[in-house]
Amino acid sequence: MAELESEKQYGPCGKFSTQRILTHKLRHCEKPARNLYAPVSRQCFQDLQNVSFQCLVTVFSSDAFTKIGVDPHVAMTIPSRCHHAYHDNP
């Protein structure tokens, strides 16, 4: 029963805060999150593979992300930009 209660306390990013995901998992995605035309690095692409979509939405819309000058609408284009850059080109 204690396990179920602790699981309910987790947010969209699991046991990690959005700030921790931003600083540790998505730090390579800052430039493409600011600029629609900035290339998405392979490291950003790899980092995104380890984060759930629900967590991405939460992080990209967070106050921490907007405080560093990120436009959430531009940030949400990163997954599709990764797909085009790393899946469409052999």
Side-chain angles (χ1 to χ4, degrees):
M1 191 70 147
E3 287 181 34
L4 293 176
E5 289 176 13
S6 66
E7 286 179 17
K8 290 180 184 179
Q9 294 175 358
Y10 290 156
C13 297
K15 62 183 178 178
F16 300 108
S17 69
T18 55
Q19 183 69 31
R20 183 168 173 86
I21 295 293
L22 173 62
T23 58
H24 289 81
K25 295 275 187 191
L26 300 177
R27 66 182 179 267
H28 298 103
C29 299
E30 184 180 335
K31 287 181 184 179
R34 289 177 188 242
N35 183 343
L36 187 60
Y37 303 104
V40 179
S41 70
R42 184 165 293 278
Q43 185 62 50
C44 174
F45 171 68
Q46 291 171 343
D47 292 346
L48 287 177
Q49 292 180 332
N50 298 318
V51 178
S52 72
F53 183 75
Q54 184 180 10
C55 180
L56 279 180
V57 171
T58 302
V59 171
F60 287 161
S61 329
S62 71
D63 289 337
F65 224 52
T66 55
K67 284 180 183 177
I68 61 171
V70 170
D71 179 347
H73 295 92
V74 173
M76 287 308 299
T77 67
I78 294 174
S80 64
R81 289 159 54 198
C82 284
H83 178 77
H84 293 301
Y86 297 109
H87 288 294
D88 292 346
N89 298 323

